[in-house]
Amino acid sequence: MATSLSQTPPHPSSTLVNISDDADLRLIRVLAPATSSPSNFETECTTAIQGGDAAKLLRSVISNGAVAGLLEDEFALDEAVSAFSLLTVYLDRVGDASVEKELCAALAESVGKIEVAGDDETALVKREKQSAMIAALFNLRSDAVEKVRLLAQIIDLADATALIQGQDRGVSPLADMLDVATLKASLALWGSEIPDEELRALYQAIVRGMDRVLALLSKDASGDKTKLKKVKAANECKQKYVLFVLATYTEESQLDNTSAKYAEEASIGAIRDPINLFSSQRQLTSLPAVVALQKSKPALHDLLKIFMDGKLQDYRDFTSMPDKNSVFATFNLDESECAKNMCLLSLVSLAAEHEEIPYSVIASTLEIKDEEVEQWVITGVSSGLMEAKMDQLRKVVLVERCVVRQFGTNEWAALKVRLDAWKTNVRGVLDALKNSGNLSVQ
């Protein structure tokens, strides 16, 4: 359960304070050259240190933009992070919890707002310092909301290479932390009730990060054999967090242009790949932001509904309507891939409705030749959405297990029928065993 973003150096404050009684003043002298008036800055900070006023010292450092100097070439990454970590010690000495939180946010912002131009090696190193400095602050704070905000800043500042999914664990601590199970465990460990708007901001930062990863991978011409795996992992990670963003909009009154953008993005993602994130996307059409697409993007919403609970014939009917067919070009959807996915989903629906399916029924439903049925069943089983065996002599498919695409009133009714039948069968077996026992006694 990773809650630390280490590969930042150990907290240096206790070591420095023990080694040198004037470590505070030395730190100020290190920061001073980045300010507009180094002498005034040193005087102001020295007064604060001598007066034991941690809040005043931090405000002076922040207002004068002193931390910008730590990004310069003269400071190595570990030196910059160590100096910044020493600054964070003063947060614990502020004494007022609300002021402490205010200064923590301001200190992080003072690092994040430093503009770094270009994409050369020097710029990349500076951005790495920014991300590592805020990561050091993240590791030292315990408040749940603070950690969520800091993590969002770290993600926005991090180089895309540090966010790449689909790698072995340990290659990038930050990428590991963005694994859904790991992040959810961390959020629970931090303990406090985190407001939806704070979680939304974090999830949005992760989505932006995955966009940067996908842009980076699209330019990769190195012949990396794991590229496809990384692209798939980034797309899946992005879609999961888009869904998390939408889940934070629980009331219609909360909906805005941002929620509409994410609802559109989630719908397109679910249509492009309805298989790999089947379980996560199953309740997509019930989210308020997606429901709102009925008015703003009716064709996209209708197509999404078909992918959620329709069959191939519904899809064919949709594509035959001139006012609907343009949705593929509008949202950059591959119509042939959509048709293939609808065939697979239609097979899954059949398997959910029947325990035994004749080849001829599958061929008719999927609009394929009889000799293609077995390959489609193999594809369905490989997808993990169903388990089945084929009786080639009788030309039937025997369904052992299958997911249910939607579970509403009809599905509950069908389940009741099955449970009643099961209860009747069990009662019959028990009666037979009872009668058999009576006969043995006689």
Side-chain angles (χ1 to χ4, degrees):
M1 186 186 299
T3 59
S4 170
L5 295 181
S6 287
Q7 289 186 359
T8 57
H11 196 305
S13 59
S14 60
T15 303
L16 288 175
V17 170
N18 289 336
I19 291 175
S20 173
D21 291 335
D22 65 346
D24 298 337
L25 297 175
R26 290 172 59 198
L27 175 62
I28 296 309
R29 286 195 289 273
V30 167
L31 298 174
T35 66
S36 58
S37 178
S39 59
N40 288 343
F41 173 74
E42 285 194 43
T43 300
E44 187 178 332
C45 290
T46 299
T47 301
I49 290 171
Q50 291 174 343
D53 194 337
K56 182 178 179 181
L57 173 62
L58 287 170
R59 286 196 174 99
S60 181
V61 170
I62 293 166
S63 62
N64 284 281
V67 294
L70 298 176
L71 301 189
E72 297 306 317
D73 295 343
E74 61 188 284
F75 295 102
L77 174 63
D78 60 340
E79 293 173 332
V81 175
S82 293
F84 184 78
S85 296
L86 184 56
L87 265 181
T88 66
V89 173
Y90 292 100
L91 289 170
D92 295 328
R93 301 177 187 172
V94 170
D96 184 309
S98 62
V99 174
E100 181 182 337
K101 289 182 179 181
E102 171 203 332
L103 289 172
C104 175
L107 190 58
E109 185 183 0
S110 72
V111 176
K113 73 179 182 181
I114 301 170
E115 292 189 16
V116 179
D119 290 313
D120 57 13
E121 185 63 28
T122 299
L124 292 176
V125 170
K126 286 184 177 181
R127 292 194 191 99
E128 185 181 5
K129 285 181 182 178
Q130 285 177 294
S131 182
M133 287 158 68
I134 297 181
L137 182 56
F138 169 90
N139 286 336
L140 295 170
R141 304 304 293 168
S142 59
D143 181 81
V145 172
E146 281 185 343
K147 290 182 85 70
V148 164
R149 290 175 180 173
L150 291 168
L151 182 56
Q153 288 179 274
I154 293 165
I155 294 165
D156 279 334
L157 287 170
D159 187 76
T161 56
L163 304 173
I164 292 176
Q165 303 294 297
Q167 305 179 96
D168 293 337
R169 290 190 70 85
V171 173
S172 168
L174 183 54
D176 291 345
M177 193 166 194
L178 301 190
D179 170 75
V180 169
T182 301
L183 182 59
K184 289 292 185 181
S186 295
L187 292 172
L189 185 66
W190 298 340
S192 177
E193 191 79 17
I194 303 171
D196 279 346
E197 56 268 24
E198 300 291 350
L199 291 173
R200 184 185 306 151
L202 172 59
Y203 299 150
Q204 288 173 330
I206 298 174
V207 171
R208 291 191 295 270
M210 290 305 107
D211 280 335
R212 300 205 312 275
V213 168
L214 289 167
L216 175 68
L217 293 173
S218 69
K219 299 173 184 176
D220 182 12
S222 65
D224 180 4
K225 294 181 180 179
T226 64
K227 177 179 175 179
L228 290 178
K229 177 185 175 184
K230 292 174 181 175
V231 169
K232 180 175 180 290
N235 274 316
E236 289 186 7
C237 181
K238 176 183 174 180
Q239 182 70 354
K240 288 176 183 177
Y241 283 105
V242 167
L243 294 174
F244 289 157
V245 169
L246 291 177
T248 64
Y249 293 95
T250 56
E251 304 291 338
E252 188 176 345
S253 59
Q254 297 175 316
L255 303 183
D256 53 19
N257 290 336
T258 301
S259 67
K261 167 184 171 290
Y262 279 95
E264 180 180 317
E265 196 163 1
S267 300
I268 293 170
I271 292 169
R272 282 183 179 153
D273 186 1
I275 308 302
N276 288 316
L277 295 179
F278 179 88
S279 297
S280 302
Q281 297 173 152
R282 189 159 48 181
Q283 302 303 319
L284 179 58
T285 52
S286 66
L287 297 174
V290 176
V291 173
L293 290 178
Q294 287 177 302
K295 296 179 180 178
S296 60
K297 298 285 191 301
L300 179 64
H301 185 271
D302 289 348
L303 183 57
L304 176 65
K305 282 284 292 177
I306 292 170
F307 271 82
M308 291 295 103
D309 54 26
K311 291 185 179 179
L312 184 61
Q313 187 56 54
D314 301 313
Y315 176 79
R316 296 295 187 210
D317 293 341
F318 177 92
T319 57
S320 67
M321 292 184 277
D323 61 324
K324 303 287 188 181
N325 190 263
S326 60
V327 72
F328 296 98
T330 302
F331 298 105
N332 194 26
L333 297 168
D334 186 324
E335 194 168 348
S336 63
E337 281 299 312
C338 286
K340 288 179 184 177
N341 284 328
M342 274 310 306
C343 281
L344 182 53
L345 292 171
S346 296
L347 176 59
V348 171
S349 289
L350 269 181
E353 295 165 0
H354 308 284
E355 294 181 359
E356 189 173 293
I357 316 170
Y359 280 22
S360 59
V361 173
I362 295 176
S364 174
T365 302
L366 273 55
E367 301 175 7
I368 58 175
K369 298 176 182 178
D370 288 351
E371 53 266 30
E372 295 177 300
V373 168
E374 293 185 359
Q375 184 56 54
W376 273 103
V377 173
I378 292 171
T379 301
V381 172
S382 298
S383 72
L385 300 183
M386 58 184 287
E387 292 178 8
K389 294 179 180 178
M390 291 175 282
D391 187 331
Q392 294 174 317
L393 292 178
R394 294 171 56 214
K395 290 192 175 299
V396 296
V397 174
L398 305 173
V399 180
E400 298 180 344
R401 181 195 66 83
C402 184
V403 298
V404 178
R405 293 174 64 195
Q406 291 292 332
F407 208 90
T409 304
N410 293 336
E411 287 71 29
W412 279 112
L415 179 60
K416 181 180 183 302
V417 170
R418 289 190 179 189
L419 288 174
D420 287 343
W422 177 78
K423 187 166 70 172
T424 300
N425 291 337
V426 170
R427 185 179 291 116
V429 171
L430 291 174
D431 289 343
L433 289 172
K434 184 178 179 180
N435 292 334
S436 174
N438 290 335
L439 288 172
S440 297
V441 171
Q442 294 173 0

